[in-house]
Amino acid sequence: MAEPPPLQALIGSLIFYGRVAPSFTRIGYLARGLPLRPVKTRADGQVWLVSGATGGLGLATARRAARRGATVLAVGRNRGALDRLAATVPTGAIVPVVCDLSDMRAVAALPAAPELAARTVDVLVNNIGVLIRDFSRTPDGLETSYATNLLGHHILTGGLVAAGRLARGAVILNVVSGGLYSVPLNTRMLNIPEALYNGFAAYASHKRAQLALTDHWRGEFADLGVRTYAVHPGWADTPGVRTSLPVFRRLLGPILRDALQGADTIDWLAAARPPEAIDQVWFDRRPRPAHAFAHTRKPAATTAQLLDVLAADVARLGLADKSPGSPRRNAAARQRHP
């Protein structure tokens, strides 16, 4: 099925987002009575790893978990911001882990970081995500948002599993966004070259790919009893929104969710661990359809092709691809189970 013409796609998007605006904002959060149903389950003894914990949803998630008794490995590049976060919760609940999450070599080294020594992760929150309007490139030559939003999650998750740092029965939470509703799964708009760069298309494609990884990891980690969920936080007033979507924020600012409201379903899923849902997005504590338009139901790439692209970029960087679904791991699996 071909993608709709640009004007048709624009009209469809306006109708869809206009229809869901109340639901995605704090209006929906309040209307569903979520403030009256706080997460009360304690997280004592659990170890959480939250990427992008210095602000927005990541900071709110880390703070919620720490206040419920978890030890939170809070990952971000700003040590001062991590220390300020640690000062707001019980002593020792936040363990700052300094890492530039756009640097793939630094991300690959995280499972061996001293802060993770003798620890296994019970809840992994792949939260870090950036919408970059103007093209930028990492020192490794990758488009920055692709490295940060997708390739880094692939490398970190696979690395934790390979190092034995993901606990049996762990939960993996991939934080997606409403942007995924506009694109099908594809590989063409993941690592977009400068001449063709569109930050909105890149971000949406990364989020759609995160959903595909969520479903893929569910099968790959079945022997560990791992549960995987893709979580949509709704429209929250985060630093990223203020920087990348100023007009959107100016129009909807008064009714946007705050970061704690946006983090609610992340926190709830980690506590409740409901049955998983295939090709669905968890929003306000329920699984929701992952498609709003017919053209996104017809993927432009398969999950296997997505994994091949990620593995090729890992190989180009000279990093061992420890991620599930990599060609090397698949070949080894075929030898063990012909």
Side-chain angles (χ1 to χ4, degrees):
M1 181 182 296
E3 292 190 15
L7 180 59
Q8 180 182 341
L10 175 61
I11 293 172
S13 295
L14 289 174
I15 293 172
F16 169 71
Y17 287 111
R19 177 167 56 84
V20 301
S23 179
F24 284 3
T25 63
R26 73 171 62 207
I27 295 172
Y29 179 80
L30 296 173
R32 295 184 179 101
L34 299 184
L36 303 177
R37 294 183 281 139
V39 177
K40 296 180 179 180
T41 306
R42 294 292 299 171
D44 300 277
Q46 293 182 6
V47 175
W48 290 43
L49 190 155
V50 180
S51 66
T54 57
L57 297 171
L59 184 148
T61 297
R63 185 176 287 159
R64 273 175 169 262
R67 289 176 175 171
R68 289 199 297 110
T71 297
V72 181
L73 302 165
V75 184
R77 65 183 176 184
N78 186 323
R79 179 60 191 242
L82 293 173
D83 288 342
R84 288 191 292 276
L85 167 62
T88 67
V89 298
T91 302
I94 295 290
V95 179
V97 183
V98 178
C99 179
D100 180 349
L101 292 163
S102 69
D103 180 341
M104 297 300 93
R105 288 180 173 80
V107 172
L110 270 178
E115 295 88 350
L116 272 69
R119 289 187 169 110
T120 55
V121 174
D122 299 289
V123 179
L124 170 61
V125 185
N126 285 318
N127 163 74
I128 186 67
V130 292
L131 194 167
I132 302 176
R133 297 172 70 100
D134 298 317
F135 181 86
S136 67
R137 185 181 286 116
T138 70
D140 292 316
L142 300 166
E143 190 274 306
T144 303
S145 69
Y146 164 64
T148 307
N149 298 349
L150 185 62
L151 186 60
H153 297 324
H154 170 77
I155 290 172
L156 175 58
T157 304
L160 288 170
V161 173
R165 295 296 182 196
L166 195 68
R168 182 168 294 278
V171 173
I172 300 174
L173 296 157
N174 288 333
V175 182
V176 299
S177 85
L180 64 74
Y181 288 109
S182 63
V183 297
L185 180 63
N186 71 89
T187 57
R188 182 172 58 87
M189 295 186 291
L190 298 181
N191 188 22
I192 304 177
E194 183 173 7
L196 302 175
Y197 185 69
N198 180 313
F200 296 97
Y203 182 78
S205 297
H206 303 155
K207 295 302 177 179
R208 177 62 71 180
Q210 277 187 280
L211 175 58
L213 287 181
T214 302
D215 289 338
H216 172 71
W217 288 341
R218 185 173 303 126
E220 288 292 328
F221 300 146
D223 60 335
L224 291 175
V226 170
R227 289 181 180 261
T228 64
Y229 306 96
V231 190
H232 176 22
W235 291 345
D237 191 9
T238 63
V241 167
R242 294 167 211 158
T243 301
S244 300
L245 298 169
V247 175
F248 171 85
R249 182 174 184 262
R250 188 162 61 248
L251 292 173
L252 296 177
I255 59 172
L256 292 179
R257 301 176 182 217
D258 62 32
L260 282 171
Q261 293 168 343
D264 175 82
T265 298
I266 299 172
D267 196 30
W268 179 83
L269 281 168
R273 307 192 181 194
E276 297 146 296
I278 298 173
D279 198 33
Q280 291 193 305
V281 174
W282 286 83
F283 170 61
D284 280 352
R285 306 189 187 183
R286 287 183 56 189
R288 316 280 177 168
H291 301 277
F293 308 108
H295 74 278
T296 69
R297 297 179 186 276
K298 181 69 173 179
T302 64
T303 299
Q305 289 170 328
L306 167 64
L307 293 169
D308 286 344
V309 168
L310 297 174
D313 283 328
V314 170
R316 189 176 62 78
L317 295 175
L319 301 172
D321 194 348
K322 301 173 183 178
S323 304
S326 71
R328 180 176 297 177
R329 285 175 64 94
N330 283 343
R334 283 192 294 269
Q335 289 177 357
R336 291 194 302 270
H337 307 286

